[in-house]
Amino acid sequence: MYSEKVMDHFNNPRNMGEIENPSGVGTVGNAKCGDIMRMYLEVDETGVIRDVKFKTFGCGAAVATSSMATELVKGKTVEEALLVTNKAVMEALDGLPPVKVHCSLLAEEAIHAALWDYARKRGIVIAGLKEPVADVSDSAAPHAPS
Ligand code: FES
């Protein structure tokens, strides 16, 4: 049911934890399953994400997608991090079962929420970044199949 990569990131999550005094932090949840994800970003003065950590109070797929998402955004600029969509995370994990797609949306939205917080604190605008939603339901998500 799950790819080897999903199982690997579930069993050995990368970048789990928190960052003290982060450049940006974002928390999102899905009211349907009750799962919550929080992302912390450390961004340097040139706009590059130097460190990223996550905490997930959720299912195994949420842990695996957050772990992979942190690996994908680390070292990228904040603009490049916007391109790390739930689709990109799922592809990097060799896919997820359809019922678990919403878990990857949590990862995408948590990154966006942390970027939003970073931009707000710095007083800057990141082109293409939308205000995060509090409840990441499948219908509210930009990349969910309609
Ligand atoms: Fe809700 Fe996975 S079941 S995030």
Side-chain angles (χ1 to χ4, degrees), residues 12-30:
N12 307 293
R14 325 301 198 257
N15 306 308
M16 198 153 68
E18 56 188 277
I19 295 174
E20 256 182 67
N21 301 318
S23 312
V25 57
T27 307
V28 295
N30 181 306

Side-chain angles (χ1 to χ4, degrees), residues 5-127:
K5 280 194 189 160
V6 172
M7 292 312 293
D8 178 31
H9 279 263
F10 170 63
N11 286 318
N12 307 293
R14 325 301 198 257
N15 306 308
M16 198 153 68
E18 56 188 277
I19 295 174
E20 256 182 67
N21 301 318
S23 312
V25 57
T27 307
V28 295
N30 181 306
K32 259 194 238 161
C33 65
D35 293 345
I36 295 170
M37 195 181 288
R38 183 170 297 153
M39 284 276 178
Y40 302 83
L41 299 177
E42 191 57 57
V43 185
D44 71 12
E45 56 293 333
T46 63
V48 173
I49 298 171
R50 291 293 169 202
D51 199 10
V52 49
K53 294 258 189 287
F54 80 93
K55 274 188 171 175
T56 294
F57 310 92
C59 73
V63 172
T65 52
S66 345
S67 169
M68 180 54 91
T70 59
E71 292 233 295
L72 292 177
V73 300
K74 206 170 189 173
K76 292 210 162 72
T77 65
V78 290
E79 287 83 10
E80 287 166 348
L82 265 189
L83 304 176
V84 178
T85 60
N86 78 304
K87 205 165 160 270
V89 173
M90 282 198 298
E91 276 170 15
L93 285 169
D94 293 336
L96 278 176
V99 292
K100 290 289 174 183
V101 170
H102 79 271
C103 317
S104 64
L105 286 166
L106 267 187
E108 177 187 311
E109 288 298 323
I111 290 170
H112 287 185
L115 287 171
W116 182 267
D117 183 49
Y118 159 76
R120 193 182 51 83
K121 282 181 182 156
R122 286 268 173 111
I124 59 168
V125 173
I126 301 173

